[in-house]
Amino acid sequence: MRILIGVQGTGNGHLSRCSALAEALSMYPDVHTQFLISGRDRNQLFDMDAFGDWQWRQGLSFVVEQGRVNVPETLRRNQWGQFWHDVKALDLSEYDLVVSDYEPITAWAGRLQRKQVIGLGRQYAFYKPTPSLPISLAQRQMLRWFAPTDRPVGMHWFDDASHILPPIIHQRGRTQTMQPGHYVVYLPFEPLAAIHELLKPFDGVTFHVFHPQAERQQVGHIHYHAPSRIGFAEAVARAEGIISNAGFETSSEALAAGKKILVKPLTGQFEQTANAQCLQRSRLAQVMWKLDQGAVAEFLEHGMANTCHWPNVAQAVAEWLHNGAQEPVHELSARLWQRSEFEDYMECLRSY
């Protein structure tokens, strides 16, 4: 069996999720998986070993300035001619299954070649109405246009619709010992100087800041790190809590590890706004809508940790794909959420 998986490389969450899926698929020797990554310059991608001999395309991405999506610049800077050339040049005829984690080239190639594309990832939770993730009709249509699919398989923290699975969580770093007073900070769209000013007053706390512009160094109580999925996962496992943008995968990894969470959604990105509102309503995380020292102080003093127990979804999805994705999505969804309930029950028993 040959599977093509397109991965949106703009955010590290897509890459983290798909690296877990890649490792799960590697357990099936009769499956050849080809990954296509787009949305970020090739030289800015890191920790890519799990994807084997992966392909790269320019794709589409958002322009972010000063922690805010710049829509006019996004429209102006994306190379639309190259994008449509890559869509038309991608031949899907050799693949038995095509999967897109919100990657638009594979998705649109499938649409043009009339080949079914499985849309697998967080954004596909919004593809159909989902009670705890309300967005406008126009926003839903925009999401559907960016990376269209015939078969949406979304991911969410709750069993909220029949097309939704629990999150795919990478298992690395989960055995580290927690260090009280240590916090991970992941705000990649905010200026590094602004992050430093945000954290500077809290000299009784140790912060580990991961940022695309950071180099490994220590400035007082703040440790700076270049991006690293393995290093980040290990730091999260050791931390008491995490301060991050409201991306789905980072929040999911923190919830799976039982960490307290403070999120600052990326301004102008309605998916992150919906994530933040959902986390706040469900009391799974605290929210700050701008970089705010008062919100950080409140979080450090009063933030509460929550733990969500989900099954190994990467393993289940890999098995589903290996079997030709024949099982209806609603049945796969029901099976995995039932397993989540069992995980919760077993954790309750272990706590006595």
Side-chain angles (χ1 to χ4, degrees), residues 220-291:
H221 59 293
I222 306 173
H223 300 251
Y224 290 96
H225 306 267
S228 164
R229 275 194 294 281
I230 296 172
F232 179 78
E234 292 175 347
V236 168
R238 290 192 298 268
E240 183 177 344
I242 182 167
I243 301 172
S244 72
N245 285 129
F248 175 71
E249 197 67 19
T250 303
S251 299
S252 299
E253 290 176 0
L255 288 169
K259 308 300 177 179
K260 51 198 279 193
I261 308 169
L262 173 64
V263 298
K264 188 271 176 190
L266 175 60
T267 305
Q269 220 272 29
F270 59 80
E271 182 218 333
Q272 288 213 6
T273 299
N275 288 346
Q277 291 171 337
C278 180
L279 288 167
Q280 189 174 50
R281 281 195 307 268
S282 58
R283 299 184 180 181
L284 292 175
Q286 293 175 240
V287 177
M288 60 178 174
W289 298 100
K290 61 180 181 178
L291 297 182

Side-chain angles (χ1 to χ4, degrees), residues 80-274:
W80 297 99
Q82 183 64 51
F83 170 73
W84 287 112
H85 174 271
D86 290 341
V87 167
K88 294 171 183 176
L90 183 62
D91 183 7
L92 302 180
S93 61
E94 63 181 293
Y95 298 105
D96 301 293
L97 290 176
V98 179
V99 179
S100 173
D101 188 335
Y102 211 56
E103 195 290 307
I105 292 174
T106 47
W108 276 102
R111 176 64 58 89
L112 294 183
Q113 296 174 41
R114 299 184 183 278
K115 192 176 186 76
Q116 185 185 76
V117 175
I118 299 169
L120 178 70
R122 169 55 165 182
Q123 283 75 13
Y124 294 106
F126 297 91
Y127 218 75
K128 298 178 181 179
T130 305
S132 62
L133 295 171
I135 60 173
S136 70
L137 181 60
Q139 290 168 338
R140 194 180 316 283
Q141 287 303 115
M142 188 183 300
L143 280 163
R144 289 178 172 178
W145 173 86
F146 187 87
T149 180
D150 311 290
R151 203 174 181 194
V153 185
M155 293 179 184
H156 192 24
W157 301 299
F158 317 116
D159 180 9
D160 215 13
S162 61
H163 68 295
I164 284 175
L165 311 183
I168 288 178
I169 305 295
H170 207 293
Q171 302 301 310
R172 59 189 166 210
R174 300 291 291 280
T175 59
Q176 303 287 330
T177 301
M178 194 267 278
Q179 298 175 315
H182 284 244
Y183 288 81
V184 169
V185 180
Y186 181 59
L187 297 166
F189 304 111
E190 310 296 333
L192 200 53
I195 296 171
H196 186 83
E197 288 302 310
L198 176 73
L199 304 176
K200 189 165 62 172
F202 306 101
D203 54 7
V205 177
T206 300
F207 295 103
H208 294 271
V209 177
F210 289 79
H211 196 279
Q213 274 77 57
E215 296 179 358
R216 187 176 181 85
Q217 62 176 314
Q218 181 178 347
V219 182
H221 59 293
I222 306 173
H223 300 251
Y224 290 96
H225 306 267
S228 164
R229 275 194 294 281
I230 296 172
F232 179 78
E234 292 175 347
V236 168
R238 290 192 298 268
E240 183 177 344
I242 182 167
I243 301 172
S244 72
N245 285 129
F248 175 71
E249 197 67 19
T250 303
S251 299
S252 299
E253 290 176 0
L255 288 169
K259 308 300 177 179
K260 51 198 279 193
I261 308 169
L262 173 64
V263 298
K264 188 271 176 190
L266 175 60
T267 305
Q269 220 272 29
F270 59 80
E271 182 218 333
Q272 288 213 6
T273 299

Side-chain angles (χ1 to χ4, degrees), residues 314-327:
Q315 189 178 72
V317 171
E319 181 183 20
W320 181 66
L321 294 173
H322 172 255
N323 293 333
Q326 296 296 313
E327 182 182 17

Side-chain angles (χ1 to χ4, degrees), residues 10-11 39 61-75 77-78 187-191 211-213 245 264-269 272:
T10 302
S61 61
F62 293 105
V63 175
V64 179
E65 296 174 341
Q66 300 297 314
R68 176 185 295 269
V69 174
N70 187 324
V71 176
E73 284 299 299
T74 294
L75 294 173
R77 292 190 200 177
N78 275 308
L187 297 166
F189 304 111
E190 310 296 333
H211 196 279
Q213 274 77 57
N245 285 129
K264 188 271 176 190
L266 175 60
T267 305
Q269 220 272 29
Q272 288 213 6

